[in-house]
Amino acid sequence: NQPMGIAVLRHAFSRHVPVFVTAVSPLGQGLAGQGLESVFDTRTPGNFALVRWADWEPFRAAGHAGRDSLEAAWEAAGNELPEGALGWVFEGVDFAHLGYQPLFSLVILGMGSSIAAQYPTDVSGNPVPEMPMLQAHKNLREVDLAVTLAGSSACMWWVIYGNAKVGLPVAFGVTAVMATDYFPYIQSGQIVGMMGGLRGAAEYEVLETEGGYTLATGNAYRGMDVQSLAHIVIILLVILGNIAFFAGGFHRKTAL
């Protein structure tokens, strides 16, 4: 699921779509943090340059609350975009890493009324109510889409509590073996789309590259070669096992 998350983040940051990052478990918070760090690693061309809350907050105090105004003021102050980076990402403006809270089903219900009430601070201790992205997205009713990435049935919490209770559109990114379980939810309209397994992430990366949102495909696309090779090896082993079974006469021994 990690390549899916990275692809979604890159797509959102390319279009200046603000992202709230939450987690249904402590492990999910760590994985989300790793995904963000990967997107902000400017040593790799095609990533984004992160501007921490504490670094740009004085500009907000000076009246630069809008994103375009903030970016212009940031660059006018002598900050240069690293070579190969696709753009700036301002913490609290373009994203907020809210992290994990226990009893996440109740957290989703609470965010239906107020996101800041459920997350007074983000994982870095920054004040969530003061973030500019909260002014336009105070609760889940003002959020356009929830993309939930999971290797378990925890993704259904967003359907039950986000879609059914709040009316929030939901999309899934799930492991390949889980994908067939959720096709009925697409047909019923309870989820608007789904990425299934590494192939789904690779297809997303290809679409992003063709749309000009990224410079090149990522780990999911490269991983498809490895996955395809592994599947071929498994098929060959099955064939060899059947040849050995019949050539060695084991089928006759079993019959006896």
Side-chain angles (χ1 to χ4, degrees):
N1 297 121
Q2 188 77 318
M4 298 177 183
I6 292 173
V8 170
L9 288 171
R10 284 184 172 145
H11 193 187
F13 294 153
S14 295
R15 299 186 59 195
H16 300 311
V17 175
V19 181
F20 293 103
V21 182
T22 62
V24 301
S25 69
L27 177 61
Q29 176 175 316
L31 290 172
Q34 291 176 10
L36 287 166
E37 289 176 4
S38 176
V39 174
F40 298 144
D41 185 1
T42 54
R43 295 173 298 180
T44 302
N47 282 333
F48 295 84
L50 170 64
V51 183
R52 290 289 185 185
W53 167 273
D55 294 330
W56 72 262
E57 204 277 335
F59 292 86
R60 181 178 71 92
H64 300 286
R67 195 197 181 284
D68 293 340
S69 174
L70 174 60
E71 183 171 333
W74 177 256
E75 292 183 341
N79 297 292
E80 296 184 1
L81 192 67
E83 183 178 357
L86 294 183
W88 301 103
V89 173
F90 295 89
E91 187 176 28
V93 177
D94 296 311
F95 83 101
H97 187 190
L98 302 179
Y100 164 73
Q101 290 279 23
L103 300 174
F104 195 69
S105 56
L106 299 181
V107 174
I108 297 175
L109 290 174
M111 287 194 292
S113 299
S114 172
I115 295 174
Q118 300 301 311
Y119 294 94
T121 60
D122 66 4
V123 297
S124 300
N126 301 315
V128 172
E130 297 181 20
M131 293 181 176
M133 61 187 292
L134 258 292
Q135 307 311 310
H137 310 88
K138 295 181 177 64
N139 54 58
L140 290 184
R141 301 180 191 278
E142 299 176 348
V143 172
D144 296 318
L145 177 67
V147 180
T148 174
L149 311 175
S152 70
S153 59
C155 56
M156 283 300 300
W157 291 354
W158 282 102
V159 174
I160 298 170
Y161 301 102
N163 178 263
K165 294 291 186 181
V166 181
L168 175 67
V170 177
F172 280 1
V174 296
T175 56
V177 295
M178 295 172 57
T180 54
D181 294 339
Y182 297 118
F183 283 128
Y185 294 94
I186 295 179
Q187 296 168 347
S188 66
Q190 291 172 282
I191 62 176
V192 297
M194 178 174 63
M195 289 180 283
L198 192 66
R199 176 179 175 177
E203 291 172 342
Y204 198 119
E205 289 179 354
V206 170
L207 290 173
E208 284 185 320
T209 304
E210 291 178 348
Y213 297 111
T214 57
L215 298 180
T217 52
N219 289 335
Y221 186 82
R222 291 190 290 270
M224 285 302 297
D225 291 336
V226 179
Q227 180 171 270
S228 299
L229 180 60
H231 288 169
I232 291 172
V233 171
I234 292 172
I235 292 171
L236 290 175
L237 290 175
V238 171
I239 293 173
L240 289 173
N242 280 275
I243 292 173
F245 180 79
F246 288 103
F250 292 100
H251 62 297
R252 290 192 295 271
K253 296 176 183 177
T254 303
L256 293 175

